[in-house]
């Protein structure tokens, strides 16, 4: 790789690092693992940088590499992780300064109950705001698969979130 390509790659990594790590975090649920995932993907991107850069879509290529690397990691591991219990909130309707953080935490925990490929589809569709066609291209699947994975993923997320909300309603007492 020549100096111009090296400089362009370094500038790309500097500019997009935070954004790529956020995608990695949404896929893995762990900042350290997300950073490792991004680094592994960037090693692969670096090998093909002159072509990737010339094609004009380095972020999309790198994002796809992160999603694929995440799926490969989960396939290798095949071990379920316990992310801990989602804390029950006595009153979810209360609006306070911490409600947004609690909701975001609950959503991230729910997101990590999805299988890796389904999670990748949901993250790319709703976090990175890709179209169905763009998501299909990034993950190397058909648009129909993206649609079905999205639908099933959103149904599962709704189910997990409603299940975690159910215990909070049982905290109300009859005499209150």
């Amino acid at each position: 790789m020549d100096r111009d390509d090296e400089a362009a790659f370094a500038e790309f990594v500097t500019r997009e690092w935070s954004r790529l790590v956020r995608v990695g975090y949404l896929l893995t649920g762990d900042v350290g693992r997300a950073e490792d995932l991004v680094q592994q993907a960037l090693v692969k991107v670096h090998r093909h940088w002159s072509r990737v850069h010339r094609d004009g879509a380095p972020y999309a290529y790198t994002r796809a590499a992160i999603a694929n690397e995440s799926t490969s990691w989960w396939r290798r591991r095949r071990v379920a992780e316990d992310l801990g219990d989602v804390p029950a909130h006595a009153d979810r309707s209360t609006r306070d300064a911490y409600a947004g953080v609690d909701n975001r935490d609950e959503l991230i925990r729910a997101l990590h109950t999805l299988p890796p490929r389904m999670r990748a589809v949901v993250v790319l569709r709703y976090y990175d705001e890709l179209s169905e066609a763009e998501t299909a291209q990034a993950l190397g699947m058909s648009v129909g698969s993206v649609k079905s994975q999205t639908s099933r993923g959103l149904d599962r997320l709704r189910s997990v979130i409603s299940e975690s909300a159910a215990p909070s309603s049982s905290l109300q007492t009859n005499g209150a």
Side-chain angles (χ1 to χ4, degrees):
M1 192 177 336
D2 65 17
R3 284 187 174 181
D4 290 340
D5 281 343
E6 284 290 345
F9 181 76
E11 190 269 327
F12 168 75
V13 171
T14 301
R15 184 183 67 243
E16 300 294 347
W17 176 259
S18 296
R19 193 170 160 201
L20 294 168
V21 170
R22 279 192 301 270
V23 169
Y25 177 75
L26 290 171
L27 293 170
T28 64
D30 179 85
V31 174
R33 192 174 305 142
E35 290 173 343
D36 290 344
L37 184 67
V38 171
Q39 288 176 358
Q40 290 169 343
L42 286 171
V43 166
K44 293 177 181 181
V45 169
H46 185 264
R47 289 183 198 140
H48 305 285
W49 180 253
S50 56
R51 178 180 51 84
V52 170
H53 183 63
R54 184 178 57 245
D55 291 346
Y59 178 77
Y61 186 90
T62 306
R63 181 185 54 225
I66 291 168
N68 291 331
E69 190 67 31
S70 174
T71 300
S72 295
W73 186 86
W74 283 106
R75 278 190 194 127
R76 286 189 303 267
R77 291 265 312 186
R78 297 261 187 213
V79 175
E81 285 191 19
D82 179 23
L83 296 175
D85 295 331
V86 175
H89 301 287
D91 184 9
R92 291 182 183 271
S93 64
T94 302
R95 302 286 175 180
D96 62 23
Y98 301 105
V101 173
D102 290 341
N103 291 338
R104 190 170 32 252
D105 180 58
E106 182 177 15
L107 179 59
I108 289 171
R109 287 178 186 268
L111 187 63
H112 287 92
T113 65
L114 301 179
R117 200 63 157 169
M118 188 179 290
R119 182 180 328 129
V121 168
V122 171
V123 167
L124 294 181
R125 287 281 291 127
Y126 295 100
Y127 173 74
D128 250 1
E129 299 178 351
L130 296 185
S131 69
E132 290 165 343
E134 291 168 329
T135 302
Q137 182 180 12
L139 297 175
M141 59 176 38
S142 70
V143 172
S145 293
V146 169
K147 289 179 181 182
S148 66
Q149 291 285 311
T150 301
S151 176
R152 286 187 287 187
L154 292 176
D155 285 346
R156 282 193 189 179
L157 288 174
R158 285 184 200 103
S159 175
V160 168
I161 290 171
S162 68
E163 285 174 11
S164 69
S168 68
S169 62
S170 66
L171 294 176
Q172 297 173 350
T173 60
N174 292 336

